Amino acid sequence: MKILITGACGFIGHHVVEHFLLNTDYKIIGLDKLTYAANGFNRLRDAGCLDNPRLTLHACDFTLPISCGLIDEIGNVDYIFHLGAETHVDNSISNPEPFVMSNVVGTMRILDFARKQKRLKHFFYFSTDEVFGPAPIGTEYGEWDRYNSTNPYSASKAGGEELCL
């Protein structure tokens, strides 16, 4: 099995990479833009993942079309875990464009890559509960409840969800 993980160097992504390396024999391809959110390769290095021969990392800005050379390097994958995103709410309020580019356009690019995969079994999109807005005490939103995004971050994640559907 071979899986592609976007945002592989991020806070959640590096834990996902570590989990698969420790609990499977899968080959892992990690894509990351290596922005402020990634902290370089340090998280993967600290988790002991960086030198694992089953992990291949590529620096990639997936708001741009994935290059033919990178597509060839990645090859066909069985699963895609799309975690790569801009994430900080306060940053999204002061500068929403990177959030729209990463979380909407970037998701479209990864979906386009996925459509061309010959053996893809599943595509997993990681969103946020914030797409539903604030939850009054005792409220549990369901998957198909209406969006009520209250900031550009959550609105862009909702846009990515809609593209995945």
Side-chain angles (χ1 to χ4, degrees), residues 42 80 136:
N42 288 340
I80 296 175

Side-chain angles (χ1 to χ4, degrees), residues 66 80 82 104-117 120 123 125 159-165:
I66 299 175
I80 296 175
H82 182 40
V104 179
V105 175
T107 297
M108 178 194 69
R109 302 279 190 217
I110 297 299
L111 286 166
D112 187 51
F113 172 82
R115 287 191 322 203
K116 298 172 185 169
Q117 291 293 302
L120 185 67
F123 182 103
Y125 177 75
E161 283 189 27
E162 289 296 308
L163 288 174
C164 289
L165 290 174

Side-chain angles (χ1 to χ4, degrees), residues 8-26:
C9 297
F11 178 71
I12 297 173
H14 87 280
H15 288 296
V16 174
V17 169
E18 181 182 27
H19 170 81
F20 281 112
L21 288 175
L22 290 173
N23 297 291
T24 73
D25 61 353
Y26 294 179

Side-chain angles (χ1 to χ4, degrees), residues 9-51:
C9 297
F11 178 71
I12 297 173
H14 87 280
H15 288 296
V16 174
V17 169
E18 181 182 27
H19 170 81
F20 281 112
L21 288 175
L22 290 173
N23 297 291
T24 73
D25 61 353
Y26 294 179
K27 180 174 179 173
I28 298 163
I29 309 295
L31 296 183
D32 203 295
K33 190 175 176 183
L34 297 175
T35 66
Y36 66 92
N39 196 26
F41 294 134
N42 288 340
R43 287 186 179 109
L44 289 171
R45 185 178 291 111
D46 292 347
C49 300
L50 200 55
D51 295 325

Side-chain angles (χ1 to χ4, degrees), residues 2 4 29 31 58 66 69-77 113:
K2 186 160 70 166
L4 174 73
I29 309 295
L31 296 183
H58 299 280
I66 299 175
L70 184 53
I71 290 171
D72 288 345
E73 281 296 314
I74 295 169
N76 285 306
V77 297
F113 172 82

Side-chain angles (χ1 to χ4, degrees), residues 62-165:
F62 53 80
T63 66
L64 303 171
I66 299 175
S67 70
C68 295
L70 184 53
I71 290 171
D72 288 345
E73 281 296 314
I74 295 169
N76 285 306
V77 297
D78 299 286
Y79 298 95
I80 296 175
F81 290 79
H82 182 40
L83 288 89
E86 290 288 333
T87 61
H88 297 306
V89 171
D90 290 345
N91 292 351
S92 79
I93 293 167
S94 63
N95 187 14
E97 184 175 351
F99 292 79
V100 173
M101 292 303 296
S102 180
N103 302 345
V104 179
V105 175
T107 297
M108 178 194 69
R109 302 279 190 217
I110 297 299
L111 286 166
D112 187 51
F113 172 82
R115 287 191 322 203
K116 298 172 185 169
Q117 291 293 302
K118 293 180 170 70
R119 66 180 200 222
L120 185 67
K121 294 173 180 58
H122 291 289
F123 182 103
F124 298 96
Y125 177 75
F126 286 68
S127 188
T128 178
D129 63 338
E130 293 184 43
V131 299
F132 300 114
I137 293 175
T139 300
E140 292 185 21
Y141 290 114
E143 183 175 0
W144 299 108
D145 286 346
R146 185 186 186 288
Y147 295 139
N148 184 26
S149 300
T150 58
N151 56 68
Y153 163 65
S154 57
S156 67
K157 292 302 281 184
E161 283 189 27
E162 289 296 308
L163 288 174
C164 289
L165 290 174

